[in-house]
Each structure stands twice: as C-alpha cells, then as structure tokens.
Amino acid sequence: MILKYSLPILVMFAAQMAFAATADKKTIVSIDKKGVSGSFELGIQRTSGTSDTNNINGAIHIDQNLENWRNHYSFESIYSDSDDVTTAEIYRGSLQSDYKFNDKEFWYLRGQAERDLFSGYKYKSSVSTGYGNRVWQEEDGSFLEASAGIGYRRNQIETGTEEGSLDRGVITRLAVKLTKKLSPTSAFRQSLTTQINIENLETVTESISSLQANIANNFAMKLSYRIQYSSKVPTDTEKTDTETAVTLLYSF
C-alpha cells in the first residue's frame, strides 16, 4: 500500500537537488554533536471568502547527545477548521533513548502516544525496546539507521464505534531512518516504521519524508509528507491517512 504513494516522495527528492545547487554556506548542526539541539516548527494558513478555513501545524523536537546516551523528545500538533467546524485535531508525542555501544550500534527504549479526534480512537500508544545500527554515516551528519525490537501496543477505540474495545497486544517494531545532507544548508530525511501485532499479524506502517533548507541564519523552510496505513481500523475510518505540511523552522 505504501508504494503507491511513492510519487510525492520522488518529487520531493527531485526538489532537493535544486536546493542543493542554490544553497549558501551555513552549516546545519550535526545530529551527533555533543550537547542539546533542537527545533521549533510552525505553519499557519488562513483563507476567507466562500468559506473560512484555518490550518495550524506545530512541532517541537529536542535532541540530547551525551557520552553514552542519545535522547530524542518530540511533540507535534495539527489543527484545522472550516466555517468554525473542526475538521482535524491531532496531538503526538514520543520519547526515545538510545544507549550507544559504539559509534554505530545502540540499544533503544521508545514510548509514543497519539490523540487524533477523527481517527476512531480515543488514543494510540506503544512502548518498545530493541537493537539498532547506523549501518552508514558520514562526517557531515548523513546516516542510514536500522532497528528492530519488541514492545506492546494499546489503542482505545472511541465510544460509539466499539465501546470499551481495546486494540492491544505484543508487537514487533521495524524501523529505517535516513538523513542525507544535500549541501551545508539543506537536508533530506526519510523514515519508515512498521508495527506488527504478533498475535494476529495486523500492521501499522508509517512513512515520513521531509526536505529542509535554510533561508536565513537559524531559520529554514521545511516540506514534509506523512503516510500512515493500518491494516485494521474502526468502522467508518479510512485505512490510509496522509498529511502534507509546509512549516517555518527555527533551529538551536
């Protein structure tokens, strides 16, 4: 199912090359530099006339890189309304801690939660732990990382669809993450994650593609595209969700 959405990703990858050709010499901070780094994102769109619509996207990402640990904290929110009627409201949070055996190998602990008012679920949450390896990395901060682990998923279905029902069970989590520096001021990122319920083999697969390019000092423009496919969902809910966002990003 994910493969049929590859065209937007390919278009974004082509756009990377244009950014790379015109970028200046400001360097994006390497993800593994010791200390704390992060970013704030905000995207706002408002239209009026035949209909009044508002779209607001926000995110906070913080990386803490220590001698033996690498921690990542993330929070994201999406809100949309049309003629004073809410059409989307999503909140996501995650925390991942990697214990580094060496420059490439690590053991991770991860927790994440999501509240989507239009997903058919009251909430989605999971915890997992497992082994990861940066199979390729460069001095400029580019890397390819793969991980595999085991965990537990607990999703509460909304009242009114299947009251009191829980989607829960032991899961296997597989993930691949790529960061490719296109120039000192632009970077492409791609992540692909799959959760497989060990008992019934139900899957949740998520792909996130993004292109970031500096525009001035610590400010950058970011284009992102997210796809999530679930093999089983509550009644009257789509199996595939997509999100496209253009945000202004401030890095520190």
Short mmCIF file of all heavy atoms in Angstrom, two decimals, residues 5-19 182 188 190 209-211 223 225 244:
data_model
loop_
_atom_site.label_atom_id
_atom_site.label_comp_id
_atom_site.label_asym_id
_atom_site.label_seq_id
_atom_site.Cartn_x
_atom_site.Cartn_y
_atom_site.Cartn_z
N TYR A 5 2.18 5.49 -3.01
CA TYR A 5 2.32 6.89 -2.65
C TYR A 5 3.75 7.38 -2.86
O TYR A 5 4.15 8.41 -2.35
CB TYR A 5 1.93 7.10 -1.19
CG TYR A 5 0.47 6.80 -0.91
CD1 TYR A 5 0.11 5.58 -0.37
CD2 TYR A 5 -0.52 7.72 -1.22
CE1 TYR A 5 -1.23 5.30 -0.13
CE2 TYR A 5 -1.85 7.44 -0.97
CZ TYR A 5 -2.20 6.23 -0.44
OH TYR A 5 -3.51 5.94 -0.19
N SER A 6 4.53 6.64 -3.63
CA SER A 6 5.95 6.98 -3.78
C SER A 6 6.16 8.21 -4.66
O SER A 6 7.19 8.86 -4.57
CB SER A 6 6.72 5.80 -4.38
OG SER A 6 6.18 5.45 -5.64
N LEU A 7 5.20 8.57 -5.53
CA LEU A 7 5.39 9.70 -6.44
C LEU A 7 5.67 11.00 -5.70
O LEU A 7 6.62 11.71 -6.06
CB LEU A 7 4.19 9.85 -7.37
CG LEU A 7 4.27 11.00 -8.39
CD1 LEU A 7 5.50 10.84 -9.26
CD2 LEU A 7 3.00 11.06 -9.23
N PRO A 8 4.87 11.37 -4.65
CA PRO A 8 5.21 12.62 -3.95
C PRO A 8 6.60 12.61 -3.34
O PRO A 8 7.27 13.65 -3.29
CB PRO A 8 4.12 12.70 -2.85
CG PRO A 8 3.00 11.89 -3.38
CD PRO A 8 3.66 10.77 -4.13
N ILE A 9 7.05 11.45 -2.89
CA ILE A 9 8.39 11.36 -2.31
C ILE A 9 9.44 11.60 -3.37
O ILE A 9 10.44 12.29 -3.15
CB ILE A 9 8.58 9.99 -1.64
CG1 ILE A 9 7.58 9.82 -0.49
CG2 ILE A 9 10.00 9.81 -1.13
CD1 ILE A 9 7.62 8.45 0.14
N LEU A 10 9.23 11.04 -4.57
CA LEU A 10 10.18 11.22 -5.65
C LEU A 10 10.22 12.69 -6.09
O LEU A 10 11.28 13.23 -6.41
CB LEU A 10 9.80 10.33 -6.84
CG LEU A 10 9.94 8.83 -6.61
CD1 LEU A 10 9.44 8.07 -7.83
CD2 LEU A 10 11.38 8.46 -6.31
N VAL A 11 9.05 13.36 -6.10
CA VAL A 11 9.02 14.77 -6.44
C VAL A 11 9.82 15.59 -5.44
O VAL A 11 10.59 16.48 -5.79
CB VAL A 11 7.56 15.27 -6.50
CG1 VAL A 11 7.53 16.79 -6.67
CG2 VAL A 11 6.83 14.61 -7.66
N MET A 12 9.65 15.25 -4.15
CA MET A 12 10.40 15.95 -3.11
C MET A 12 11.90 15.71 -3.28
O MET A 12 12.71 16.62 -3.10
CB MET A 12 9.96 15.48 -1.72
CG MET A 12 8.57 15.94 -1.36
SD MET A 12 8.04 15.25 0.21
CE MET A 12 9.26 15.97 1.29
N PHE A 13 12.28 14.49 -3.63
CA PHE A 13 13.70 14.19 -3.80
C PHE A 13 14.29 14.98 -4.95
O PHE A 13 15.42 15.47 -4.87
CB PHE A 13 13.89 12.69 -4.04
CG PHE A 13 15.33 12.27 -4.02
CD1 PHE A 13 15.98 12.10 -2.82
CD2 PHE A 13 16.03 12.07 -5.19
CE1 PHE A 13 17.31 11.73 -2.78
CE2 PHE A 13 17.36 11.69 -5.16
CZ PHE A 13 18.00 11.51 -3.96
N ALA A 14 13.51 15.17 -6.03
CA ALA A 14 13.99 15.97 -7.14
C ALA A 14 14.18 17.43 -6.73
O ALA A 14 15.13 18.09 -7.14
CB ALA A 14 13.01 15.89 -8.31
N ALA A 15 13.27 17.90 -5.87
CA ALA A 15 13.37 19.29 -5.41
C ALA A 15 14.62 19.51 -4.57
O ALA A 15 15.16 20.62 -4.53
CB ALA A 15 12.13 19.66 -4.60
N GLN A 16 15.09 18.45 -3.92
CA GLN A 16 16.30 18.57 -3.09
C GLN A 16 17.48 19.09 -3.91
O GLN A 16 18.28 19.90 -3.43
CB GLN A 16 16.73 17.21 -2.53
CG GLN A 16 15.67 16.52 -1.71
CD GLN A 16 16.01 15.05 -1.63
OE1 GLN A 16 17.15 14.65 -1.88
NE2 GLN A 16 15.06 14.25 -1.28
N MET A 17 17.59 18.59 -5.13
CA MET A 17 18.75 18.93 -5.94
C MET A 17 18.76 20.42 -6.29
O MET A 17 19.82 21.04 -6.38
CB MET A 17 18.75 18.09 -7.23
CG MET A 17 18.58 16.59 -6.96
SD MET A 17 19.55 15.95 -5.55
CE MET A 17 21.21 16.24 -6.12
N ALA A 18 17.58 21.01 -6.45
CA ALA A 18 17.50 22.44 -6.72
C ALA A 18 17.95 23.23 -5.51
O ALA A 18 18.68 24.22 -5.63
CB ALA A 18 16.07 22.83 -7.10
N PHE A 19 17.55 22.79 -4.32
CA PHE A 19 18.01 23.46 -3.11
C PHE A 19 19.52 23.33 -2.95
O PHE A 19 20.21 24.26 -2.56
CB PHE A 19 17.31 22.87 -1.88
CG PHE A 19 15.95 23.42 -1.63
CD1 PHE A 19 14.82 22.64 -1.87
CD2 PHE A 19 15.79 24.71 -1.17
CE1 PHE A 19 13.56 23.15 -1.64
CE2 PHE A 19 14.53 25.22 -0.93
CZ PHE A 19 13.41 24.44 -1.17
N LEU A 182 22.28 17.34 1.65
CA LEU A 182 22.40 17.66 0.24
C LEU A 182 23.41 18.78 -0.01
O LEU A 182 23.99 18.90 -1.09
CB LEU A 182 21.04 18.06 -0.32
CG LEU A 182 19.94 17.01 -0.11
CD1 LEU A 182 18.60 17.56 -0.52
CD2 LEU A 182 20.28 15.74 -0.88
N PHE A 188 17.69 16.12 3.43
CA PHE A 188 16.52 15.28 3.16
C PHE A 188 16.46 14.20 4.23
O PHE A 188 17.48 13.59 4.58
CB PHE A 188 16.63 14.63 1.78
CG PHE A 188 15.54 13.62 1.51
CD1 PHE A 188 14.24 14.04 1.23
CD2 PHE A 188 15.81 12.26 1.52
CE1 PHE A 188 13.24 13.11 0.98
CE2 PHE A 188 14.82 11.33 1.28
CZ PHE A 188 13.52 11.76 1.00
N GLN A 190 14.12 10.71 5.64
CA GLN A 190 13.10 9.71 5.34
C GLN A 190 13.10 8.67 6.45
O GLN A 190 14.15 8.16 6.85
CB GLN A 190 13.38 9.03 4.00
CG GLN A 190 12.47 7.85 3.69
CD GLN A 190 11.05 8.29 3.41
OE1 GLN A 190 10.82 9.21 2.64
NE2 GLN A 190 10.08 7.65 4.06
N SER A 209 8.52 11.70 5.00
CA SER A 209 9.55 12.29 4.15
C SER A 209 9.59 13.78 4.39
O SER A 209 8.54 14.42 4.52
CB SER A 209 9.25 12.03 2.67
OG SER A 209 8.99 10.67 2.42
N SER A 210 10.78 14.36 4.45
CA SER A 210 10.87 15.81 4.64
C SER A 210 12.11 16.37 3.95
O SER A 210 13.12 15.69 3.81
CB SER A 210 10.90 16.17 6.13
OG SER A 210 12.11 15.77 6.74
N LEU A 211 11.96 17.60 3.52
CA LEU A 211 13.05 18.35 2.89
C LEU A 211 13.18 19.67 3.61
O LEU A 211 12.20 20.41 3.77
CB LEU A 211 12.75 18.58 1.40
CG LEU A 211 13.73 19.47 0.63
CD1 LEU A 211 15.10 18.83 0.58
CD2 LEU A 211 13.20 19.74 -0.77
N LEU A 223 9.38 21.11 4.11
CA LEU A 223 8.27 20.45 3.44
C LEU A 223 8.24 19.00 3.90
O LEU A 223 9.26 18.30 3.81
CB LEU A 223 8.44 20.52 1.91
CG LEU A 223 7.47 19.70 1.07
CD1 LEU A 223 6.05 20.22 1.24
CD2 LEU A 223 7.89 19.74 -0.41
N TYR A 225 5.87 15.16 4.27
CA TYR A 225 4.78 14.33 3.76
C TYR A 225 4.73 13.05 4.59
O TYR A 225 5.72 12.31 4.66
CB TYR A 225 5.00 14.00 2.28
CG TYR A 225 3.87 13.26 1.63
CD1 TYR A 225 2.65 13.88 1.38
CD2 TYR A 225 4.02 11.92 1.24
CE1 TYR A 225 1.61 13.20 0.76
CE2 TYR A 225 2.99 11.24 0.63
CZ TYR A 225 1.78 11.87 0.38
OH TYR A 225 0.75 11.19 -0.21
N THR A 244 0.32 16.57 4.49
CA THR A 244 1.34 17.37 3.83
C THR A 244 1.45 18.70 4.55
O THR A 244 0.41 19.33 4.83
CB THR A 244 0.97 17.61 2.35
OG1 THR A 244 0.81 16.36 1.68
CG2 THR A 244 2.06 18.42 1.64
#
